[in-house]
Amino acid sequence: MIKREDVYKIGKLGKTHGIKGEISMQVDDDVFDRAEADYLVLELDGILVPFFMEEYRFKTDETALIKFEGIDTQERARELTGTEVFFPRELAESDDSDELSYAQLVGYTVIDHATGREVGKIDSIDNQTINIMFELTDGTLIPASEELIEDIDTDRQTITLHIVEGLI
């Protein structure tokens, strides 16, 4: 069984493309530039299910067309429309934490470098403006600036940040 902490969200399936089961995906992460996988994980009725890819290609920087094994008709592909897409952390993570994307940090615990205390868990990444923010589960927004990152521990799934005094 695939656990939520073993994957991270990379996008969402959109419209079908053609009649042979291809479907578009809005991609929020550059994982395809950094890692390879034979499958993606889709969330169906609250359950994380692996779907093996026959092929994929990018239409734009943020949109890919994917053909999954066993999905051979437009009707079958349409059933997947709106489904969230996840990538296995173990395939995306390397020994060099500098290669982690912000999306991979969702679920990590934020630690304040100055005090050493836990601040909260990263719930999502807000990249709607030029200033990317970590949104914690309690709604707190913390700047996701590389200059503020002291350490990322992929084993413990923690990120230590220099948090501006008074921010939290």
Side-chain angles (χ1 to χ4, degrees):
M1 178 177 215
I2 300 172
K3 298 176 189 167
R4 174 105 21 214
E5 59 268 13
D6 294 336
V7 296
Y8 71 99
K9 184 180 172 191
I10 62 165
K12 191 173 195 175
L13 295 179
K15 297 179 181 179
T16 60
H17 182 81
I19 60 170
K20 299 197 179 190
E22 235 179 3
I23 191 164
S24 67
M25 179 175 83
Q26 285 301 119
V27 183
D28 301 331
D29 188 79
D30 65 350
V31 70
F32 291 98
D33 293 337
R34 295 179 284 120
E36 291 187 29
D38 296 331
Y39 67 96
L40 296 174
V41 178
L42 306 183
E43 184 173 25
L44 302 175
D45 297 326
I47 299 170
L48 296 172
V49 181
F51 276 73
F52 287 85
M53 296 181 287
E54 283 183 19
E55 63 182 348
Y56 70 89
R57 67 185 187 281
F58 278 85
K59 279 179 59 175
T60 68
D61 288 345
E62 294 141 5
T63 305
L65 296 176
I66 299 177
K67 172 72 175 77
F68 291 111
E69 290 180 8
I71 307 295
D72 297 321
T73 65
Q74 185 179 30
E75 292 76 26
R76 291 267 306 156
R78 191 175 291 122
E79 294 172 5
L80 300 175
T81 297
T83 303
E84 292 189 337
V85 181
F86 298 84
F87 198 84
R89 285 187 191 275
E90 69 179 1
L91 298 178
E93 294 175 351
S94 69
D95 293 334
D96 183 5
S97 63
D98 289 340
E99 292 186 29
L100 289 175
S101 70
Y102 286 135
Q104 285 176 270
L105 298 174
V106 171
Y108 276 44
T109 300
V110 175
I111 298 174
D112 180 13
H113 177 69
T115 64
R117 73 177 179 98
E118 290 184 9
V119 176
K121 279 193 181 260
I122 299 173
D123 186 52
S124 65
I125 306 299
D126 181 350
N127 57 5
Q128 299 300 312
T129 65
I130 196 163
N131 297 317
I132 298 171
M133 305 290 272
F134 294 128
E135 184 172 354
L136 305 184
T137 52
D138 67 359
T140 302
L141 293 174
I142 297 176
S145 171
E146 289 185 27
E147 294 83 35
L148 300 177
I149 298 173
E150 177 66 27
D151 182 54
I152 298 173
D153 186 333
T154 55
D155 293 330
R156 292 180 43 223
Q157 291 194 343
T158 61
I159 179 169
T160 304
L161 297 172
H162 293 278
I163 299 175
V164 178
E165 193 173 324
L167 183 65
I168 50 173

